[in-house]
């Protein structure tokens, strides 16, 4: 497994990312919140935290039906502030082959110079839970079918970075850390598959042809291509039990079930089956337009991942031609 990153000082005071700290946590481990929670409150908090962690849609000109920003925080914040959209939250859920939850934790990156996935990879409690669920002796005895022992699902707002993050530099890849590190060395040999489910794509969907200047296109083009290459890191490991997907309805229902009760109730009213109750009857943040926007984004993200999983590696025009 990769060398553990060095973590610097916490810099999240007063921000969305400082939520756990405000809950009374004081150490570096403040940014790992476990279930059951020590304060007895929900794992994911209220609407503002749900938006910060998953629901928020950045302006996306490439999604022609819903190009504008979508933020639930504005409607529920007393000062009308929107999400700062800094930082990534990862919820890790380890389930056994019967689908029963064996481990559940929430990680967020603070300081921003580290990535939330790094907290996942180095979390000894997660490693222990995997080992308990799928013991090593068992793993040695035979070649494991992917998923035969269970699945680790990582729910996150953005797909893992790959040589393109602004704060970890061009050599760092959370995609490699998860696929070549966590999965190949710990999960795969134990028959545990890895599923990463995201609510938005980090740069991979950008169409640089729409950028204003040739200078911008030249600057951003390679970064967009690196993000797409990261998607292909997951696609190449599909046969070993690794998947990268957009969040689906079941994923959303699960994440919302980890929020405060009023959020879960409002969400069920807005997103419930059958269409009746379309639009929230509760605090009003899950409006019909918000529901439609989020659904369109989930489809867009799924399509982006499909398209860039299939496109050829680093062969200039191949990426644009695909899809
Ligand atoms: Zn912090
Ligand atoms: Zn938001
Ligand atoms: Zn990363």
């Amino acid at each position: 497994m990769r060398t553990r990153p060095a973590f610097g000082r916490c810099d999240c005071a007063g921000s969305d990312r400082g939520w756990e700290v405000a809950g009374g946590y004081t150490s570096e481990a403040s940014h790992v919140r476990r279930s059951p929670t020590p304060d007895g409150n929900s794992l994911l908090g209220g609407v503002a935290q749900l938006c910060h962690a998953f629901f928020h849609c950045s302006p996306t000109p490439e999604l022609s039906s819903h190009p504008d920003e979508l933020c639930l925080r504005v409607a529920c914040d007393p000062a009308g502030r929107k999400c700062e959209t800094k930082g990534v939250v990862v919820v890790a859920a380890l389930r056994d082959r019967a689908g029963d939850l064996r481990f559940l934790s929430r990680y967020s990156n603070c300081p921003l110079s580290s990535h939330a996935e790094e907290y996942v990879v180095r979390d000894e409690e997660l490693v222990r839970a995997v080992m308990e669920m799928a013991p090593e002796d068992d793993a040695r005895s035979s070649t494991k079918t992917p998923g035969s022992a269970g699945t680790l699902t990582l729910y996150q707002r953005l797909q893992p970075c790959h040589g393109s993050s602004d704060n970890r530099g061009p050599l760092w890849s959370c995609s490699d850390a998860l696929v070549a590190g966590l999965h190949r060395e710990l999960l795969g040999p134990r028959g545990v598959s890895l599923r990463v489910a995201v609510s938005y794509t980090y740069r991979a969907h950008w169409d640089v042809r729409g950028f204003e200047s040739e200078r911008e296109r030249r600057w951003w083009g390679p970064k967009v291509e690196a993000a797409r290459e990261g998607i292909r890191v997951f696609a190449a490991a599909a046969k070993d039990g690794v998947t990268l997907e957009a969040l689906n309805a079941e994923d959303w229902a699960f994440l919302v079930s980890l929020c405060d009760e009023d959020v879960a109730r409002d969400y069920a009213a807005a997103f419930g089956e059958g269409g009746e109750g379309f639009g929230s009857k509760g605090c009003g943040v899950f409006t019909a337009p918000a529901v439609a926007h989020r659904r369109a984004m989930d489809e867009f993200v799924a399509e982006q991942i499909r398209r860039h999983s299939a496109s050829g590696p680093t062969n200039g025009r191949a990426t644009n031609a695909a899809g």
Side-chain angles (χ1 to χ4, degrees):
M1 203 160 289
R2 272 175 183 271
T3 313
R4 285 182 178 185
F7 291 93
R9 279 169 56 85
C10 175
D11 61 4
C12 67
S15 78
D16 288 343
R17 292 174 296 119
W19 177 61
E20 301 100 332
V21 182
Y25 300 72
T26 50
S27 69
E28 177 192 278
S30 61
H31 300 88
V32 180
R33 182 166 166 81
R34 302 190 186 284
S35 176
T37 58
D39 54 17
N41 295 325
S42 72
L43 186 72
L44 293 188
V47 162
Q49 276 296 314
L50 176 68
C51 199
H52 161 67
F54 295 105
F55 203 94
H56 192 96
C57 298
S58 298
T60 308
E62 293 85 358
L63 176 56
S64 53
S65 68
H66 296 83
D68 299 328
E69 187 170 53
L70 170 64
C71 185
L72 301 179
R73 194 192 210 282
V74 179
C76 64
D77 187 277
R81 289 171 302 172
K82 63 182 186 185
C83 294
E84 56 184 14
T85 59
K86 278 184 188 163
V88 170
V89 170
V90 175
V91 169
L94 179 68
R95 296 181 178 89
D96 61 24
R97 95 189 88 194
D100 291 332
L101 207 51
R102 301 288 290 261
F103 178 89
L104 183 59
S105 226
R106 174 198 192 275
Y107 310 80
S108 78
N109 60 322
C110 183
L112 288 172
S113 55
S114 59
H115 289 187
E117 294 94 326
E118 297 176 73
Y119 288 83
V120 175
V121 168
R122 73 176 206 143
D123 183 4
E124 284 168 10
E125 291 199 30
L126 170 60
V127 172
R128 200 177 310 130
V130 169
M131 289 176 166
E132 274 171 24
M133 187 181 85
E136 193 175 15
D137 284 346
D138 201 22
R140 275 207 208 102
S141 62
S142 63
T143 307
K144 291 287 192 169
T145 310
S148 59
T151 301
L152 175 67
T153 302
L154 304 180
Y155 305 89
Q156 41 193 91
R157 187 167 63 86
L158 302 173
Q159 92 273 17
C161 68
H162 183 68
S164 66
S165 93
D166 294 330
N167 49 22
R168 290 293 273 116
L171 294 180
W172 178 254
S173 166
C174 283
S175 300
D176 284 342
L178 292 174
V179 174
L182 183 70
H183 182 262
R184 190 180 299 161
E185 294 178 22
L186 178 74
L187 303 177
R190 294 165 186 273
V192 179
S193 56
L194 173 66
R195 175 172 178 262
V196 177
V198 302
S199 61
Y200 199 67
T201 42
Y202 176 70
R203 292 182 180 162
H205 62 279
W206 287 8
D207 187 348
V208 296
R209 291 171 301 181
F211 288 15
E212 288 200 351
S213 68
E214 178 58 29
R215 193 160 166 242
E216 278 183 308
R217 286 191 286 277
R218 261 203 306 243
W219 173 258
W220 289 111
K223 294 174 188 284
V224 171
E225 187 49 44
R228 293 172 180 176
E229 185 65 34
I231 291 175
R232 291 193 283 274
V233 167
F234 286 83
K239 61 183 185 314
D240 304 319
V242 174
T243 48
L244 174 67
E245 295 176 326
L247 290 178
N248 61 37
E250 202 181 319
D251 296 325
W252 280 113
F254 173 69
L255 292 171
V256 168
S257 78
L258 306 176
C259 295
D260 296 347
E261 264 176 43
D262 59 331
V263 180
R265 207 169 43 238
D266 287 349
Y267 185 90
F271 283 81
E273 291 300 314
E276 70 269 46
F278 196 75
S280 176
K281 293 183 172 65
C283 67
V285 291
F286 297 114
T287 60
V291 169
H293 191 149
R294 191 56 253 180
R295 282 183 170 151
M297 185 59 76
D298 289 340
E299 282 173 28
F300 175 77
V301 170
E303 165 57 21
Q304 289 296 317
I305 292 173
R306 267 196 304 274
R307 175 185 301 180
H308 300 303
S309 294
S311 62
T314 60
N315 175 12
R317 299 182 52 79
T319 308
N320 281 340

